[in-house]
Amino acid sequence: MKITVNGAEREAEDGATVAGVVASVTRAPAGVAVALNDQVVPRGDWPTTIVREADRIEVLTAVQGG
Amino acid sequence: MEDPLVIAGETFESRLIMGTGGAPSMNVLEEALTASGTELTTVAMRRVDPGSRGSVLDVLGRCGIRVLPNTAGCFTAGEAVLTAKLARDALETNWVKLEVIADERTLLPDPIELLDAAEQLVDDGFVVLPYTNDDPVLAHRLEQAGCAAVMPLGSPIGSGLGIRNPHNIELIVERAQVPVVLDAGLGTASDAALAMELGCDAVLLATAVTRAQSPALMASAMRHAVTAGRMARLAGRIPKRRYAQASSPWQGLSSGG
């Protein structure tokens, strides 16, 4: 199935989790947050949240700014 | 002199809040933050970059500085609220510097979206520090909405034009029951001192330091300017007069000549 991660379309296996998607883009142990279709997925829910066809996932962290 | 800044019940010895944008490297940023003496510093939320090395969070952690996420780059209340919630989850803080801008050319706040976002975030339990126009009416509305401080601009972000409307800043200060933080547009130390002399409780700046030729030296200058301006405000300046007032006595002048 196809999902979009940080604006880029990619393939994901059936049953893939948000935790798996996050691990594929960053190794940072903290300071990261996830939005799934514009809703925050709390860190504690990452391992049990299954991604589905056409999901849009944003993985954000803090950068220099302001 | 014990004179802490208190925002939402939290106490800060430093009245200089720093931003982290614009620094040419993490090393330069760390030196500048250390020189500034700041205890509260903003970061932005962006997509993770798998290739990036070194995090601004590591710098803040090493310096023992509290992180203040912002919603920079958001144009609508909806975007800002989502960004604030993501920041809360990522950084484990319910404090947010709320920015909702109207366009990329001026980066001026969109007052309608800003107030909407502030109300939503306050309802959700955030400590909201809104970057706002130098508009006393809007500042008051934001305070009424439950914001923990109001942060009027001196002039557009990154412009270095200083405080273009000191009269409005004074009006905001006179009325506010929450801390007033002069945010954006400062160019050099005298601008920061003026903000404090006008009665602001703190100053928030980034570009003036991070893009100075010597960021650490400018950070130190800002630190001293904020302290000097605050002390001058508390000391009570003399009234301005149209004509001279001799400080030496007239009595006892010799009648030479």
Side-chain angles (χ1 to χ4, degrees), chain B residues 80 94 119 122 134 187 219 221 245:
Chain B
N94 64 343
E119 289 170 343
V122 168
D134 57 0
Q245 181 184 38

Side-chain angles (χ1 to χ4, degrees), chain A residues 33 58-66, chain B residues 19-20 42 44 46-48 86 206:
Chain A
E58 294 284 325
V59 186
L60 272 64
T61 191
V63 301
Q64 284 177 250
Chain B
T20 52
T42 67
R46 291 293 181 270
R47 288 169 171 168
V48 296
L86 285 163

Side-chain angles (χ1 to χ4, degrees), chain A residues 12-52:
Chain A
E13 309 256 320
D14 284 350
T17 64
V18 165
V21 171
V22 172
S24 73
V25 293
T26 180
R27 290 177 157 184
V32 176
V34 174
L36 173 62
N37 302 328
D38 297 332
Q39 297 292 322
V40 179
V41 182
R43 171 176 285 266
D45 293 346
W46 293 356
T48 54
T49 303
I50 309 293
V51 299
R52 306 194 185 284

Side-chain angles (χ1 to χ4, degrees), chain B residues 183-229:
Chain B
D183 181 4
L186 302 190
T188 189
S190 52
D191 297 332
L194 175 60
M196 301 305 291
E197 289 169 17
L198 291 172
C200 293
D201 297 280
V203 161
L204 197 166
L205 58 87
T207 306
V209 162
T210 58
R211 295 203 164 106
Q213 289 186 25
S214 173
L217 189 56
M218 185 60 87
S220 183
M222 291 297 189
R223 174 186 198 158
H224 287 98
V226 167
T227 301

Side-chain angles (χ1 to χ4, degrees), chain B residues 5 19 27 29 62 103 108 114 120 134 153 164-165 187 194 200-201 210:
Chain B
L5 168 68
N27 282 343
L29 177 64
R62 275 197 297 276
D103 65 74
L108 288 171
L114 179 67
Q120 292 185 48
D134 57 0
L153 55 79
R164 303 312 299 165
N165 197 337
L194 175 60
C200 293
D201 297 280
T210 58

Side-chain angles (χ1 to χ4, degrees), chain B residues 36-124:
Chain B
S36 77
T38 186
E39 297 166 71
L40 182 64
T41 293
T42 67
V43 296
M45 298 299 296
R46 291 293 181 270
R47 288 169 171 168
V48 296
D49 173 5
S52 76
R53 294 171 57 198
S55 164
V56 67
L57 294 175
D58 296 337
V59 173
L60 297 186
R62 275 197 297 276
C63 297
I65 297 170
R66 181 178 180 134
V67 63
L68 175 61
N70 69 25
T71 63
C74 293
F75 290 88
T76 67
E79 290 170 7
V81 168
L82 176 59
T83 302
K85 289 178 177 175
L86 285 163
R88 178 170 63 181
D89 201 58
L91 305 176
E92 297 174 352
T93 175
N94 64 343
W95 285 41
V96 63
K97 172 185 167 179
L98 179 61
E99 284 185 60
V100 191
I101 56 170
D103 65 74
E104 288 182 32
R105 193 169 69 90
T106 66
L107 300 179
L108 288 171
D110 181 320
I112 313 297
E113 297 292 324
L114 179 67
L115 186 58
D116 182 4
E119 289 170 343
Q120 292 185 48
L121 290 170
V122 168
D123 281 349
D124 199 11

